[in-house]
Amino acid sequence: MSNKPLVMDLEERQRLLEWWNTMESAKPMVRRLMSLITELRVHPETSHADGMVLFYRAASEISYGYAGVRGCIRRAFTNEYRESLRMNMVMCHSFAEKYSVDTKVLLERVAQQITSQNALQLIQRILETLAENDEMLKEIKRKADAFFGRETFHSMQNKVKDSITLPKL
């Protein structure tokens, strides 16, 4: 992998800025999601539910994924823009996508153990916010596709997946 800085033309910079703006527009949703999940986690009737720690951890990874992409995009506007940064952008994006799925699965597990109306209302609000997150991830993927090119982005996603997957024996 080349360590030389990459140079973007004006059109690429514009597409990167559009991706940045989309990432920024997602921040309130991510904050709301984490706030609701934290509220559920510390709720006296749900804090000890089986799977709560894993659920909270998965949701945290969504937040880290968004923050990571934003940080990479910010750095891409500088002379730090290199192939390794591009791969990091893709990896962070994959965290947000993968852990969104895990969060929904783990929320189902936690929800099965809850009877409190207040906690069930929180779960409903979390589900609504996770649906909003799914829509935001689709829009972010469109921006990433526009910036990298769909085939290049897909190829990079496969490289990331291969790099973090153990080989078959």
Side-chain angles (χ1 to χ4, degrees):
M1 208 177 285
S2 175
N3 197 26
K4 296 185 331 190
L6 300 172
V7 178
M8 285 183 273
D9 63 25
L10 191 56
E11 188 176 315
E12 288 172 308
R13 291 180 75 79
Q14 182 59 42
R15 287 191 304 262
L16 186 61
L17 182 60
E18 289 170 8
W19 188 8
W20 168 261
N21 289 334
T22 301
M23 295 303 300
E24 284 294 292
S25 71
K27 280 171 54 174
M29 180 272 305
V30 174
R31 283 189 194 125
R32 185 172 61 257
L33 177 64
M34 291 311 299
S35 177
L36 290 167
I37 290 172
T38 299
E39 192 175 342
L40 182 67
R41 189 186 74 149
V42 300
H43 194 285
E45 296 167 356
T46 61
S47 62
H48 299 294
D50 183 41
M52 181 59 77
V53 172
L54 292 173
F55 166 65
Y56 186 79
R57 179 68 183 152
S60 295
E61 292 293 338
I62 295 170
S63 177
Y64 300 152
Y66 276 93
V69 173
R70 281 194 325 273
C72 289
I73 291 173
R74 188 173 45 250
R75 289 173 50 210
F77 281 110
T78 71
N79 62 358
E80 293 182 57
Y81 186 51
R82 293 175 166 76
E83 191 60 33
S84 58
L85 183 63
R86 288 167 53 95
M87 291 304 292
N88 200 22
M89 293 163 109
V90 173
M91 188 179 320
C92 290
H93 176 82
S94 72
F95 289 166
E97 283 187 329
K98 180 194 180 323
Y99 286 104
S100 291
V101 172
D102 292 355
T103 298
K104 286 182 263 187
V105 170
L106 290 163
L107 179 59
E108 279 184 40
R109 179 179 180 161
V110 168
Q112 291 172 351
Q113 304 167 58
I114 296 172
T115 57
S116 160
Q117 281 304 311
N118 289 337
L120 290 172
Q121 288 174 352
L122 274 173
I123 288 171
Q124 183 57 42
R125 291 175 61 202
I126 292 168
L127 285 169
E128 291 166 3
T129 307
L130 285 169
E132 186 179 340
N133 177 60
D134 288 345
E135 291 305 311
M136 186 57 70
L137 286 172
K138 288 176 189 173
E139 181 61 25
I140 289 166
K141 185 175 184 331
R142 282 192 287 276
K143 299 299 181 180
D145 282 345
F147 177 71
F148 290 118
R150 180 171 283 140
E151 288 182 26
T152 300
F153 186 52
H154 183 71
S155 172
M156 293 170 76
Q157 286 177 312
N158 286 336
K159 282 181 188 176
V160 166
K161 187 170 103 179
D162 291 346
S163 74
I164 61 173
T165 304
L166 293 174
K168 292 181 181 177
L169 298 177

